[in-house]
Each structure stands twice: as structure tokens, then as C-alpha cells.
Amino acid sequence: DTGVSQDPRHKITKRGQNVTFRCDPISEHNRLYWYRQTLGQGPEFLTYFQNEAQLEKSRLLSDRFSAERPKGSFSTLEIQRTEQGDSAMYLCASSSWMWATDTQYFGPGTRLTVL
Amino acid sequence: AQKVTQAQTEISVVEKEDVTLDCVYETRDTTYYLFWYKQPPSGELVFLIRRNSFDEQNEISGRYSWNFQKSTSSFNFTITASQVVDSAVYFCALPSFGAGGTSYGKLTFGQGTILTVHP
């Protein structure tokens, strides 16, 4: 059983450019989460999906951010018109939610540097 | 709102020492879950343990043990006979009831405790 994978692992971009990250969850996991982690801090929730439906978005997710999970499998997170403040590690997690709560398993992350 | 506090920013121990990581949480939920994750230098968050609030029995799993006390809202994690490979950042996390109120979803993390185990 392969774990959560994320692509790319590192991304360097110039301010104002658009970037897109991909997350492939553990097979058959119905939930997929996105978090952002800056240096020295714990991860902060951005958004999550149950199958194709986006169930919750954080107020951290400005209108420059958009996430999709077509067909309930992989997910993409796009940041438009990147700013230096977007530099962070973007983490994806997946889980198999059946009752009450779930255990989230994390991928290796995508480290974004905005110059 | 959920809140998790890990007051210890950094801990340094020598191999084979026992080390306890503190976690204090705030929640209005009457039932809830708590998690510990480990983030080694490679960066990937690794799930360690999950406990629910209606079971305060403390447990041991190998070199790991945890002490859950609802009365003080604490969920402490102990590593016995620490090893160099235990060096990592450790996060305590608390899930929030998701939008629509049907289940828990997003995790609220503490700021993490950096554990360094010296040989």
C-alpha cells in the first residue's frame, strides 16, 4: 500500500506567477486535506474534500487559492499571482473516514519558494 | 475554537534518557480525539497515536506511552530510552467538528516541540 504522494517536492517561482501542486492520496481514501506549514510552526488547515465535495475552506484560503478533486481521486492546489508570503511547505493528507473521526496520513509535502 | 499548546519549544536529551512531551488543549466538544505526530528532518509528518476522550486509560506501545488527563486537559507523550532516531519535531493535534456538524475533520496543531537526542 503506497502512501500519499505529492508533486513537485520543491517549487521555486517568481512573484506573480501561478503554481499548481498535485496530491495523490492513499488508494481508496475518501478524504483529502491540504495544510500549509511555515518555518517553526505547526501545519495550518487550508481545505478538505470528501470524495469530490469540498466540505470546508479556511479563511486562510484567499481567492488566489483554488483546490479541486475531480472524480474523488487526486487533488490539485493552485495559487495564482503568488506572493512572497505564500512561501511555505504545502502538505497533503488523506484518510478513510467511516465513523466519527479519521486518522490523517500525510505526504512528503511541496516546498514553495516565491522569489 | 480548538487550541493546542505545546509549551516546550525545544528539548535536548542524551540517548537512553526518558523524555516527556507536554500538550495542553482547549475544546468545547464533550467528546473528542487527540493525536501525536512526528516530523523528522525529512519533513513528512508521521502518525504516532490517537486517543479518544471517553477512554482515559493510559497505554504503552513499545517505547511510547501517553498520559491523558481530561481534568487538566493534558495529553502528554513519553518516549522511554530515547534513541538518536527519535530526533524530530513532535506535534500534538486536535480535530474540529467539520462544517455541517456531522464528523470531525481538520486538525488543529500545536507549535511543536523540537526533540534532539544526542548519542
Side-chain angles (χ1 to χ4, degrees):
Chain A
D1 186 21
T2 57
V4 178
S5 61
Q6 293 187 245
D7 184 70
R9 296 289 306 277
H10 303 274
K11 179 71 177 179
I12 300 174
T13 191
K14 294 182 179 178
R15 189 161 49 106
Q17 298 294 304
N18 298 343
V19 294
T20 300
F21 309 141
R22 177 180 170 124
C23 171
D24 286 89
I26 293 171
S27 178
E28 298 180 356
H29 274 191
N30 56 357
R31 282 198 174 178
L32 189 148
Y33 297 80
W34 285 99
Y35 292 83
R36 182 173 69 185
Q37 186 179 22
T38 53
L39 201 61
Q41 302 296 316
E44 293 177 296
F45 169 77
L46 292 178
T47 187
Y48 84 98
F49 296 83
Q50 182 160 313
N51 300 313
E52 312 83 21
Q54 189 172 20
L55 294 190
E56 189 172 351
K57 293 193 292 186
S58 163
R59 55 186 166 78
L60 291 176
L61 215 64
S62 74
D63 55 8
R64 297 186 297 106
F65 288 71
S66 63
E68 294 182 342
R69 193 185 183 197
K71 302 179 182 178
S73 55
F74 71 92
S75 175
T76 57
L77 178 68
E78 181 184 15
I79 309 174
Q80 296 182 328
R81 304 182 303 281
T82 53
E83 302 173 355
Q84 288 187 324
D86 297 331
S87 295
M89 175 78 88
Y90 290 83
L91 297 167
C92 175
S94 73
S95 71
S96 179
W97 178 78
M98 295 182 68
W99 177 81
T101 193
D102 52 350
T103 296
Q104 297 174 33
Y105 296 92
F106 284 80
T110 294
R111 182 169 295 284
L112 173 66
T113 302
V114 182
L115 302 175
Chain B
Q2 315 288 69
K3 185 177 179 182
V4 177
T5 302
Q6 295 179 253
Q8 304 154 306
T9 305
E10 291 191 55
I11 299 177
S12 182
V13 299
V14 177
E15 208 169 18
K16 298 184 183 178
E17 284 185 25
D18 297 347
V19 55
T20 295
L21 309 177
D22 298 335
C23 172
V24 173
Y25 60 90
E26 293 177 29
T27 179
R28 294 180 183 173
D29 297 336
T30 53
T31 60
Y32 47 91
Y33 293 80
L34 290 157
F35 293 79
W36 276 96
Y37 283 86
K38 169 183 177 180
Q39 190 172 40
S42 61
E44 186 166 338
L45 275 163
V46 178
F47 165 70
L48 294 175
I49 55 173
R50 174 180 116 179
R51 295 297 295 165
N52 59 56
S53 61
F54 41 89
D55 183 359
E56 288 193 66
Q57 182 177 0
N58 296 314
E59 292 186 22
I60 297 174
S61 175
R63 295 187 299 109
Y64 298 158
S65 62
W66 43 97
N67 185 343
F68 176 38
Q69 293 189 344
K70 285 181 74 172
S71 59
T72 56
S73 297
S74 66
F75 184 48
N76 298 334
F77 178 68
T78 297
I79 303 173
T80 302
S82 59
Q83 301 174 1
V84 173
V85 293
D86 296 326
S87 297
V89 184
Y90 289 80
F91 291 98
C92 181
L94 176 67
S96 300
F97 227 56
T102 57
S103 68
Y104 287 101
K106 65 183 181 185
L107 290 170
T108 297
F109 287 85
Q111 290 200 309
T113 297
I114 302 171
L115 173 64
T116 303
V117 182
H118 299 281

